[in-house]
Amino acid sequence: MKDSAYLARCHKRLKEWGAPLQDWYCVGVMDTEEDSGGSFTCELCGCSRVRFVHEMSHKQYFEDVSVGCICAGIMEGSILAAKERERLIKNRARRRSNFVRRKWKENRRGEYRLKYKGDWILIYGSDQGRYEVSYDGKSVRQYKGKPITNFLSAIYAAFDLVDPPIRGQRL
Ligand SMILES: [Zn+2]
């Protein structure tokens, strides 16, 4: 990759949008392979093979821009910061794939449990075919904004509960 040409291309695109060239900050990183196994096209450089998406925000711009690691680094002025987030999201993706392989124990009432960091995660179903997940005094009935209607989604929801997605005001 020719860094200066790449940088110029990114800046050109931002100018075309009437968007600021710098001082963007990241509000979230996500793994596009979490559910669908799909990849994402970077909104800034057009690279179509982005797995980890950095959501970039700017006080003077009307919408967030979703980009890959290097573009995120250009927008915020720190490739190191973007690479550090990339490292965190990759580690979380690895923990998630380990987590979904673990074996849950079923009890007589049809509840499933898994010991995690000394506490039990509980998954139980309702009559309406909905699942609820609880851990450490917290419970969720939704996964990615939708009711949980199958056991696999319940496991994903359990992971989000014990190892929350990487989001925040400024990352
Ligand atoms: Zn890009």
Side-chain angles (χ1 to χ4, degrees):
M1 179 177 67
K2 291 291 285 173
D3 279 358
S4 56
Y6 183 83
L7 180 73
R9 196 149 46 90
C10 292
H11 279 170
K12 182 166 173 273
R13 175 65 72 87
L14 287 169
K15 280 181 201 155
E16 285 165 5
W17 291 346
L21 298 190
Q22 54 196 19
D23 295 332
W24 292 79
Y25 54 90
C26 183
V27 293
V29 269
M30 56 203 166
D31 179 3
T32 56
E33 286 191 7
E34 272 204 359
D35 301 316
S36 54
S39 62
F40 178 84
T41 299
C42 174
E43 293 177 353
L44 190 58
C45 72
C47 168
S48 62
R49 299 163 67 97
V50 175
R51 173 170 172 183
F52 300 105
V53 176
H54 300 237
E55 208 175 312
M56 305 304 287
S57 192
H58 196 293
K59 291 265 183 289
Q60 267 99 53
Y61 199 59
F62 72 106
E63 65 180 356
D64 291 351
V65 179
S66 299
V67 298
C69 182
I70 303 301
C71 286
I74 287 171
M75 294 171 86
E76 67 190 323
S78 170
I79 299 290
L80 280 182
K83 284 191 169 160
E84 172 60 12
R85 280 196 308 274
E86 190 91 350
R87 190 182 68 78
L88 295 177
I89 188 74
K90 273 182 189 162
N91 286 345
R92 183 174 184 272
R94 203 187 53 236
R95 290 195 300 273
R96 190 177 191 268
S97 69
N98 291 334
F99 184 84
V100 300
R101 282 199 292 266
R102 293 182 61 180
K103 291 273 179 285
W104 292 72
K105 286 183 184 138
E106 189 181 4
N107 70 15
R108 274 170 287 127
R109 282 170 305 197
E111 299 166 349
Y112 290 83
R113 52 178 64 217
L114 176 70
K115 198 150 206 181
Y116 186 86
K117 292 187 177 168
D119 274 311
W120 289 97
I121 308 170
L122 263 173
I123 295 179
Y124 38 101
S126 75
D127 300 338
Q128 292 86 34
R130 303 282 168 89
Y131 290 83
E132 181 167 348
V133 182
S134 75
Y135 177 72
D136 195 23
K138 290 169 287 200
S139 73
V140 289
R141 291 195 177 96
Q142 294 200 330
Y143 174 63
K144 295 199 191 272
K146 293 190 187 127
I148 303 166
T149 54
N150 61 71
F151 191 67
L152 187 59
S153 293
I155 290 173
Y156 292 152
F159 182 71
D160 280 359
L161 193 60
V162 300
D163 196 330
I166 303 172
R167 304 199 62 80
Q169 279 295 86
R170 283 167 184 268
L171 294 168

